[in-house]
Amino acid sequence: MPVGEVLHSAGACLDDDCWVAAIGDDAPEGESVFARSLPMRKLLEDCLLAYGMNGHPLPAEHGAPVRLIVPGWYGTNSVKWLSRLHVMETMLCGPEWEEYTHWQQEKYRLVPQGEQPTERETIDAFDLGDQFADPSIRHPFMYGMLVNSLIVSPGPDESLAPERGDSVTIQGVAWAGDNDISAVEVSTDGGETWHSATLLGDDEQPCWRQFGFEWTPRSGTHTLVSRATDDRGRTQPAAISDPDERLLTIANRKFPWNKRGYASNAYGPVATTVTAE
Ligand SMILES: Nc1nc2c(c(=O)[nH]1)N[C@H]1C(S)=C(S)[C@@H](COP(=O)(O)O)O[C@H]1N2
Ligand SMILES: [Mo]
């Protein structure tokens, strides 16, 4: 069910610049409550309250009786065991909301080596790439996902035995948060050279794109890797930076190292090694 319908029938203020605190019901007595602040604009655009999954009631471990689904944003925003939606003017912050701020203000932020995030009342950019580009946001929040991709077949350490001269189909998926995928490239030599993959399926498909690439392997060991580009021209970086580089944004094809290892979309660390006979 669209969240907007519930907010509307409750007579809540639906102004674009409001925030909605989505509060979970899983905290033991006296511990920080799991809660996320989400901008009203996103909630009204495409967020859902889910009470079923694949035609069955929602299982307990996925948030029954009802959870929030925030499409295109990092999973942490999809609050499970939802007990309350609270419309407010700011994110959860300050002493008044003390029990509710831990997961919003301290965890699920990108923090470089040697720094501590400070509380924010509000921000104006949500896509993680846009937060990187906003100098007022030093420690970005885990909201809109960066462009990313994965090869799913062949699988890690698979041995391929194609007939001589036959090709193998490399298949994978790519996604770009609230943006669309515009291209995917595949490399069979660990990122030295790249080939355009074919985007499959429907480009109206909002969440992810499948891709394929026909490859005729020579015998030996190969490192397969994919990299996607979104419709704003942003491409996955190659590697994660060193902590002491203290990067605050993607630069020199490096993703900024952060304390909890969140949100990396670098293609290098997820390469797949396969052997062809
Ligand atoms: N109430 C509540 N909701 C939560 C969490 C939680 O700890 N408590 N974890 C979040 C995180 S970090 C993720 S990745 C997803 C995981 O959802 P899943 O278990 O359905 O895969 O739930 C999110 N929602
Ligand atoms: Mo998570």
Side-chain angles (χ1 to χ4, degrees):
M1 170 188 293
V3 183
E5 280 183 25
V6 173
L7 295 176
H8 188 79
S9 63
C13 165
L14 302 178
D15 286 358
D16 252 11
D17 55 356
C18 284
W19 287 88
V20 180
I23 298 172
D25 197 20
D26 47 328
E29 191 65 38
E31 285 188 29
S32 298
V33 177
F34 190 90
R36 296 288 300 166
S37 289
L38 295 154
M40 181 66 83
R41 199 178 322 151
K42 174 67 177 173
L43 277 191
L44 296 183
E45 195 171 274
D46 59 1
C47 294
L48 299 174
L49 294 172
Y51 45 83
M53 188 168 123
N54 301 332
H56 297 283
L58 189 64
E61 64 269 35
H62 292 300
V66 65
R67 83 177 297 174
L68 185 64
I69 297 285
V70 184
W73 288 27
Y74 293 99
T76 185
N77 297 291
S78 291
V79 175
K80 302 193 273 190
W81 313 292
L82 189 69
S83 62
R84 181 173 165 202
L85 293 170
H86 188 86
V87 179
M88 48 200 281
E89 282 173 10
T90 64
M91 291 185 188
L92 293 161
C93 64
E96 186 192 347
W97 290 99
E98 201 178 352
E99 292 163 77
Y100 299 88
T101 55
H102 177 71
W103 301 94
Q104 175 63 28
Q105 297 282 357
E106 285 162 55
K107 293 278 168 72
Y108 302 117
R109 293 184 68 178
L110 274 60
V111 182
Q113 174 102 312
E115 299 189 19
Q116 287 298 330
T118 47
E119 282 203 356
R120 293 281 305 229
E121 288 192 354
T122 195
I123 53 171
D124 299 320
F126 304 104
D127 173 291
L128 187 49
D130 289 342
Q131 291 189 65
F132 282 153
D134 182 338
S136 83
I137 305 176
R138 189 169 177 88
H139 303 128
F141 293 81
M142 295 283 285
Y143 287 140
M145 286 193 277
L146 297 173
V147 61
N148 212 336
S149 65
L150 272 181
I151 289 174
V152 297
S153 176
D157 303 320
E158 205 168 297
S159 292
L160 308 171
E163 292 291 317
R164 230 187 149 61
D166 274 4
S167 68
V168 170
T169 309
I170 297 175
Q171 287 174 288
V173 290
W175 61 96
D178 284 335
N179 309 293
D180 288 330
I181 290 292
S182 64
V184 178
E185 298 158 284
V186 168
S187 169
T188 58
D189 56 11
E192 294 291 314
T193 56
W194 294 93
H195 314 275
S196 293
T198 307
L199 296 180
L200 307 171
D202 179 357
D203 63 5
E204 296 298 305
Q205 203 176 313
C207 282
W208 65 356
R209 276 316 278 283
Q210 287 173 269
F211 63 86
F213 176 69
E214 287 301 315
W215 173 47
T216 309
R218 292 209 201 107
S219 61
T221 301
H222 305 273
T223 304
L224 310 184
V225 56
S226 62
R227 75 175 177 199
T229 300
D230 72 11
D231 60 353
R232 294 173 55 193
R234 300 175 299 187
T235 300
Q236 291 178 243
I240 299 173
S241 74
D242 285 334
D244 52 18
E245 284 178 75
R246 304 283 191 89
L247 286 188
L248 293 172
T249 183
I250 294 172
N252 304 324
R253 302 172 65 225
K254 286 185 204 163
F255 180 84
W257 185 98
N258 64 86
K259 280 185 183 173
R260 297 183 193 280
Y262 288 146
S264 170
N265 65 340
Y267 56 79
V270 295
T272 303
T273 305
V274 297
T275 310
E277 285 170 11

